[in-house]
């Protein structure tokens, strides 16, 4: 039944309105809300090379143009290149008679080597492998210097216009007219800056020649029309775009490039700005300092079995619900809840339970949050009625040893056998009845949803509450068990 665990079958509705599987959601323990990939800020923690596992800070990686200085990629298939050694006999006229070792780069996947493009072998394994330089490097450098000077001019003009009101004091005058920066540049021996921008280092600006269109174009060689092209010797678009500064047309001119750095990123909640995911700095470690994934903090719903789905008829479906937390929780099932109404209810509850200072803070967040996390309309539309259980279901805390205990369930819960059909440890199988709409045709997907209410114990200490607090949470769950059977008539 592993195919039933795909994200298409069980989806949870995020705070922003998007629906995803529980494996793609995060749970912020500070603001007690679900967060998806669109509701979090992505931050780069460290850069590392996936081949040699060298990790660098962001500033140093930026200086190296986000490329590893020791590892190379194959220009043909983009796999990492490995160093191979070979024995070479002594050259004629040399005083040494013993053979010496020479090293070259080789790809274990496509068998491409540096000898294919006439790159000389190196005498050491970690040698300074030659890299073909950009023929337009000087031109690009002059362009960068030119636009940096223009950016400084625009910045100085903007700072001058930003001072609309007069302020008293020597500090305000130095900030307004840039006296401190002018004195610093004078001591460093640099030319002075004029905030007006008219005579802003005109002598130091590089001489940029404007581009002109040419009418005379070199004609194609005659071999282009007479000879049959060999596609194995012509580079593909992927190979050309991998090295945009050269973009060679033939494979014999391909040169290895330094391997790109990978990144380790951390995720931060947009509302409370706390981390929901933060990995270890060492690239060889797969552990996380903070890993607030949703399947660690909220019940997980899976499909066990279901009867054939026929329009207008009752079909039985059994869902397995798992409690991943270390605390006892109770489950209740209800109709789908609109997010706007839920936010209004939370706002009214907060105004009644908090003082004036906290109300102002909540109002500020309620104004900023729609801008940072835009609310989406409900992406899934249900087409099936569902008969929900009327009683609550209690799930015990997670116990890893209970998975290997075959003596039976030690918890004595008074469950209704018509609702709870199976129970073991922190898991329970619950029976639902679904009725697909009569308007569905054969082969249409059956979609139904319900609101899952559960108790969550927040163990994060706050200034007001040091002890763990129990909170009632609510999330919309959408389930697509399958398609309509042949019992429906068009």
């Amino acid at each position: 039944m592993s195919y039933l665990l795909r994200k298409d079958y069980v989806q949870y509705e995020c705070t922003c309105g998007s629906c995803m599987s529980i494996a793609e959601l995060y749970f912020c323990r500070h603001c007690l809300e679900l967060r998806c990939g669109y509701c979090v800020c992505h931050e780069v923690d460290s850069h590392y090379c996936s081949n040699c596992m060298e990790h660098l800070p962001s500033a140093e990686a930026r200086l190296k143009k986000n490329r590893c200085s020791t590892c190379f990629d194959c220009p043909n298939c983009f796999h990492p290149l490995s160093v191979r050694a070979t024995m070479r006999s002594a050259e004629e006229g040399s005083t040494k008679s013993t053979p010496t070792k020479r090293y070259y780069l080789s790809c274990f996947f496509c068998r491409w080597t540096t000898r294919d493009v006439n790159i000389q072998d190196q005498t050491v394994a970690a040698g300074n492998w030659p890299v073909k330089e950009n023929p337009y490097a000087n031109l690009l450098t002059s362009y960068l210097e030119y636009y940096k000077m223009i950016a400084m001019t625009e910045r100085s003009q903007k700072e001058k216009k930003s001072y609309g009101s007069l302020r008293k004091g020597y500090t305000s005058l130095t900030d307004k007219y840039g006296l401190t920066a002018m004195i610093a540049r004078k001591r460093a021996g640099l030319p002075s800056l004029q905030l007006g921008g008219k005579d802003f280092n005109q002598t130091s600006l590089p001489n940029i020649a404007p581009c002109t269109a040419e009418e005379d174009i070199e004609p194609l060689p005659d071999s282009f029309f007479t000879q049959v092209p060999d596609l194995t010797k012509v580079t593909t678009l992927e190979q050309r775009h991998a090295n945009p500064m050269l973009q060679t047309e033939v494979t014999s001119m391909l040169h290895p490039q330094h391997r790109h750095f990978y990144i380790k990123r951390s995720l931060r909640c947009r509302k409370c700005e706390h981390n929901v995911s933060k990995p270890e700095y060492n690239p060889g470690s797969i552990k996380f300092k903070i890993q607030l994934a949703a399947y660690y903090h909220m019940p997980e719903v899976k499909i066990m079995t279901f009867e054939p789905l026929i329009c207008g008829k009752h079909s039985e479906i059994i869902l397995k619900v798992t409690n991943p937390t270390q605390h006892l929780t109770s489950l209740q099932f209800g109709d789908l809840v609109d997010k706007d109404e839920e936010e209004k209810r939370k706002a009214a509850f907060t105004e009644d339970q908090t003082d004036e200072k906290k109300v102002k803070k909540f109002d500020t967040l309620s104004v900023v949050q729609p801008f940072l996390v835009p609310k989406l309309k409900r992406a899934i539309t249900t087409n099936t009625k569902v008969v929900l259980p009327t009683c609550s279901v209690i799930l015990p805390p997670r116990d890893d040893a209970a998975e290997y205990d075959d003596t039976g369930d030690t918890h004595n819960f008074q469950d209704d056998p018509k609702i709870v059909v199976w129970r073991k440890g922190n898991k329970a199988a619950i029976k639902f009845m679904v009725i697909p709409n009569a308007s569905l045709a054969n082969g249409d997907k059956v979609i139904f949803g319900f609101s899952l209410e559960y108790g969550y114990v927040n163990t994060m200490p706050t200034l007001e509450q040091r002890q763990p607090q129990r909170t009632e949470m609510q999330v919309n769950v959408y389930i697509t068990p399958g398609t309509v059977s042949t019992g429906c008539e068009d």
Side-chain angles (χ1 to χ4, degrees), residues 157-176:
Q157 293 177 354
K158 184 178 180 180
E159 291 177 356
K160 181 180 179 181
K161 294 179 181 179
S162 61
Y163 291 94
S165 59
L166 295 177
R167 294 182 297 175
K168 297 181 179 180
Y170 175 75
T171 307
S172 63
L173 294 177
T174 56
D175 292 340
K176 179 177 179 181

Side-chain angles (χ1 to χ4, degrees), residues 318-343:
I318 298 178
L319 303 179
K320 184 175 70 172
V321 186
T322 307
N323 178 24
T325 62
Q326 301 294 334
H327 304 278
L328 185 74
T329 183
S330 62
L331 306 179
Q332 294 181 355
F333 304 92
D335 297 333
L336 294 173
V337 179
D338 192 359
K339 291 297 181 181
D340 296 336
E341 297 179 358
E342 181 68 15
E343 289 183 357

Side-chain angles (χ1 to χ4, degrees), residues 98-143:
T98 58
T100 58
K101 271 190 177 183
R102 294 300 178 95
Y103 302 90
Y104 64 97
L105 297 178
S106 176
C107 178
F108 290 161
F109 187 78
C110 66
R111 302 302 179 183
W112 183 93
T113 63
T114 52
R115 296 176 176 178
D116 297 343
V117 290
N118 299 324
I119 297 179
Q120 296 182 357
D121 298 346
Q122 303 296 318
T123 56
V124 291
N128 188 13
W129 299 98
V131 178
K132 196 169 184 179
E133 298 181 356
N134 188 358
Y136 305 100
N138 296 332
L139 181 61
L140 294 176
T141 304
S142 63
Y143 286 162

Side-chain angles (χ1 to χ4, degrees), residues 377-427:
K377 295 183 179 180
R378 183 170 293 174
I380 298 179
T381 303
T382 59
N383 54 15
T384 302
K385 297 180 182 179
V386 56
V387 181
L388 301 173
T390 56
C391 61
S392 61
V393 179
I394 300 176
L395 292 180
R398 188 187 71 177
D399 185 8
D400 296 335
E403 294 289 338
Y404 309 97
D405 187 8
D406 297 333
T407 58
D409 191 4
T410 58
H411 301 282
N412 296 322
F413 294 112
Q414 301 299 326
D415 297 326
D416 188 355
K418 297 182 180 179
I419 297 177
V420 181
V421 297
W422 173 82
R423 178 188 289 274
K424 181 180 180 181
N426 61 333
K427 303 174 184 178

Side-chain angles (χ1 to χ4, degrees), residues 68-69 71-72 97 139 268 285 328 347 355 365 382-383 390 419 448 450 466:
C68 182
S69 58
C71 302
F72 292 85
S97 60
L139 181 61
R268 189 180 297 273
S285 175
L328 185 74
D355 53 2
L365 291 175
T382 59
N383 54 15
T390 56
I419 297 177
F448 69 94
F450 55 86
R466 292 292 180 179

Side-chain angles (χ1 to χ4, degrees), residues 38 270 364-375:
Y38 304 104
R270 288 180 180 266
T364 305
L365 291 175
S366 63
V367 174
V368 177
Q369 183 184 0
F371 174 75
L372 295 176
V373 185
K375 299 296 180 181

